[in-house]
């Protein structure tokens, strides 16, 4: 890796006659012979543009003997008496012959490049930030909705209807035929219920067994070659990178190196993996006799009064009754128009606590959800 060094010459502007872009090798203005001083930014040199990728100066390097010797002379100092700039290795002022003093000001060396190449544009960061803003926007909109919707106000409703429905199912323990997997069937004698309980369904007369598909299983079936396209960083040649340093006398030292350059390369990542196929699994399926509760009758009654009743059904010795009850209480209220809230009491005593015409305090949210406020009015 070869290191390449160049000396870049800066330029300055004369404040006496306004001549511009005077090469640094001239200590005095070629037009008006005014010596370069520290004042008026005369000794702040311009070094021209820089290649953004490599940091390499766009100016030609200096080859002239005299200029190279000026660059090698060290940091400039300024005369305490006349203000003229002088070579770092000169013991006395070239302009007024005054001796250099310990107090003489010098031009500072700049450890940083004159103009650093601009940082690469942070494109992914910016788009991430954009999405962050979009996300924040959506979230605050959502939060506003939740807050608005959870705000509520109170209204007073009135019970407009109380409804009950009661159903009685009569079921009989009956002999039925079913099918089941042979390995799950064990012959067991049935037992009949007494007062609708204590029964055993039983398994009897296992017969007509046939082979049927019961399920599937995965079976290894050789291997398959699978490939995935992946990406990796690899060195792809070299690129030039340069650093620059001001020498404190209108010249700049540039060092360039060839450094490894990295690129993305795609490659196939392949491996062998076991392949599976789906196979059906067969088993013996049989018919058998058993007993099961079977609905044979049903009665329903309903009303809007406050005296729910069970329908009457007579039962035999192998019967049992199954009861179902359902209650609805409707509460009418006015909130931007006439509305209705419906309650479903779980049992009779809860149902009976609601009376027609009774007033009910309600809390209504902006989304329209209703909560019954258990106040003094109820119960
Ligand atoms: Zn001049
Ligand atoms: Zn002087």
């Amino acid at each position: 890796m070869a290191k390449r060094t160049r000396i870049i010459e800066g330029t300055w502007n004369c404040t006496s006659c306004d001549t511009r872009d005077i090469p640094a090798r001239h200590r005095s203005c070629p037009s008006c012979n005014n010596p370069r001083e520290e004042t008026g930014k005369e000794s702040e040199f311009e070094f021209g543009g820089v290649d953004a990728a490599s940091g390499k100066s766009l100016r030609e390097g200096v080859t002239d003997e005299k200029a190279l010797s000026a660059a090698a002379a060290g940091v400039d100092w300024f005369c305490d008496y006349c203000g003229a700039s002088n070579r770092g290795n000169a013991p006395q002022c070239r302009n007024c012959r005054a001796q250099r003093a310990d107090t003489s000001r010098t031009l500072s060396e700049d450890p940083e490049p004159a103009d650093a190449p601009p940082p690469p544009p942070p494109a992914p960061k910016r788009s991430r930030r954009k999405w962050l803003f979009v996300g924040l926007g959506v979230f605050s909109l959502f939060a506003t909705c939740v807050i608005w919707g959870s705000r509520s106000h109170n209204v007073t409703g009135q019970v407009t209807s109380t409804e009950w429905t009661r159903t009685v199912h009569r079921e009989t323990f009956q002999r039925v035929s079913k099918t089941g997997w042979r390995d799950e069937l064990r012959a067991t004698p049935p037992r009949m219920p007494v007062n609708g309980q204590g029964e055993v369904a039983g398994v009897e007369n296992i017969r007509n067994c046939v082979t049927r598909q019961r399920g599937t299983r995965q079976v290894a079936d050789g291997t398959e070659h699978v490939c995935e396209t992946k990406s990796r960083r690899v060195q792809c040649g070299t690129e030039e990178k340069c650093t620059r340093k001001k020498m404190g006398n209108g010249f700049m030292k540039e060092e360039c190196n060839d450094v490894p350059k990295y690129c993305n390369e795609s490659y196939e990542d392949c491996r062998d993996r076991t392949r599976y196929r789906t196979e059906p699994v067969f088993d013996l399926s049989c018919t058998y006799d058993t007993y099961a509760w079977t609905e044979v009758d049903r009665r329903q009654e309903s009303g809007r009064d406050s005296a729910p009743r069970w329908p009457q059904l007579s039962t035999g010795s192998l019967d049992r009754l199954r009861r179902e009850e359902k209650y609805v209480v409707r509460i009418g209220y006015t909130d931007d128009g006439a509305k209705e809230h419906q309650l479903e009491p779980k049992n009779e005593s809860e149902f009976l606590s609601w009376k027609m015409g009774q007033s009910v305090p309600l809390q209504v949210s902006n989304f329209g959800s209703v909560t019954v406020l258990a106040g003094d009015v109820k119960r």
Side-chain angles (χ1 to χ4, degrees):
M1 246 170 264
K3 183 164 96 179
R4 296 174 295 280
T5 304
R6 294 195 303 160
I7 301 294
I8 307 297
E9 187 172 13
T11 52
W12 60 282
N13 302 326
C14 174
T15 53
S16 300
C17 71
D18 226 14
T19 297
R20 305 188 70 77
D21 302 325
I22 305 164
R25 68 187 73 176
H26 301 294
R27 286 201 172 272
S28 296
C29 172
S31 303
C32 71
N33 210 34
N34 168 59
R36 173 164 64 75
E37 295 175 4
E38 193 180 12
T39 55
K41 298 190 176 178
E42 274 186 341
S43 294
E44 288 178 20
F45 295 92
E46 170 60 42
F47 288 95
V50 166
D51 178 66
S54 63
K56 187 174 188 167
S57 173
L58 298 177
R59 285 193 181 174
E60 288 289 321
V62 171
T63 50
D64 179 83
E65 284 287 334
K66 269 175 77 178
L68 285 175
S69 133
V75 176
D76 277 7
W77 59 277
F78 297 99
C79 174
D80 289 335
Y81 296 95
C82 71
S85 67
N86 289 284
R87 285 168 75 107
N89 57 2
Q92 62 183 36
C93 177
R94 65 188 164 90
N95 192 41
C96 71
R97 302 281 166 207
Q99 288 291 314
R100 178 178 184 170
D102 292 342
T103 53
S104 297
R105 295 177 54 78
T106 55
L107 196 62
S108 63
E109 278 177 293
D110 186 352
E112 296 298 321
D115 12 44
K125 227 181 208 166
R126 195 186 298 158
S127 74
R128 216 147 135 201
R129 234 160 105 175
K130 187 178 124 200
W131 282 114
L132 187 73
F133 281 126
V134 170
L136 268 176
V138 169
F139 175 77
S140 53
L141 197 69
F142 173 74
T144 308
C145 278
V146 166
I147 291 166
W148 175 83
S150 62
R151 286 176 64 177
S152 60
H153 50 280
N154 293 350
V155 296
T156 302
Q158 204 169 36
V159 175
T160 54
S161 150
T162 58
E163 297 156 32
W164 58 268
T165 306
R166 285 184 166 183
T167 313
V168 175
H169 306 262
R170 185 164 70 86
E171 296 173 335
T172 297
F173 203 55
Q174 276 186 345
R175 192 181 178 87
V176 291
S177 281
K178 290 189 177 176
T179 56
W181 298 109
R182 183 67 190 86
D183 61 352
E184 290 171 355
L185 296 177
R186 183 157 300 141
T188 318
R191 194 196 305 151
M192 292 305 112
V194 177
N195 294 327
Q197 51 191 347
E199 75 279 6
V200 172
V203 174
E204 291 181 306
N205 196 18
I206 299 168
R207 62 193 184 277
N208 298 343
C209 295
V210 290
T211 301
R212 278 209 194 128
Q213 187 177 341
R214 189 171 183 174
T216 58
R217 67 176 165 201
Q218 298 297 104
V219 185
D221 185 22
T223 58
E224 58 187 343
H225 196 61
V226 280
C227 293
E228 248 182 297
T229 304
K230 292 185 173 175
S231 171
R232 66 185 163 204
R233 302 280 285 169
V234 289
Q235 191 183 335
C236 52
T238 59
E239 60 183 340
E240 189 173 42
K241 286 286 175 196
C242 303
T243 56
R244 292 163 300 127
K245 189 186 170 192
K246 285 182 183 175
M247 300 170 81
N249 52 20
F251 293 88
M252 194 157 72
K253 191 176 188 177
E254 179 189 76
E255 264 183 35
C256 294
N257 284 295
D258 291 326
V259 298
K261 184 182 173 184
Y262 292 93
C263 305
N264 280 327
E265 176 193 80
S266 66
Y267 66 101
E268 293 291 294
D269 183 30
C270 298
R271 65 205 161 85
D272 287 328
R273 106 184 143 189
T274 310
R275 186 170 52 203
Y276 291 91
R277 69 185 149 82
T278 306
E279 245 184 21
V281 176
F282 294 95
D283 222 335
L284 276 182
S285 169
C286 308
T287 305
Y288 63 99
D289 292 334
T290 185
Y291 283 80
W293 288 108
T294 314
E295 182 173 303
V296 289
D297 202 359
R298 171 168 45 170
R299 295 274 163 86
Q300 193 171 68
E301 269 196 57
S302 59
R304 289 168 170 267
D305 52 22
S306 57
R309 296 171 295 278
W310 287 110
Q312 292 305 304
L313 258 182
S314 56
T315 54
S317 63
L318 295 180
D319 290 351
R320 71 175 183 189
L321 297 178
R322 196 161 54 77
R323 297 167 193 275
E324 277 175 356
E325 53 194 329
K326 191 181 182 223
Y327 305 101
V328 175
V329 171
R330 297 179 198 279
I331 300 167
Y333 64 97
T334 306
D335 181 39
D336 198 14
K339 300 214 168 120
E340 187 185 81
H341 180 56
Q342 190 173 316
L343 292 176
E344 295 190 2
K346 282 181 216 51
N347 52 45
E348 182 175 338
S349 69
E350 206 180 297
F351 173 69
L352 291 178
S353 73
W354 297 96
K355 302 271 180 279
M356 271 295 288
Q358 170 187 342
S359 31
V360 184
L362 299 174
Q363 189 179 63
V364 183
S365 82
N366 283 345
F367 279 147
S369 73
V370 175
T371 313
V372 174
L373 297 171
D376 304 331
V377 188
K378 201 190 142 194
R379 267 174 259 251

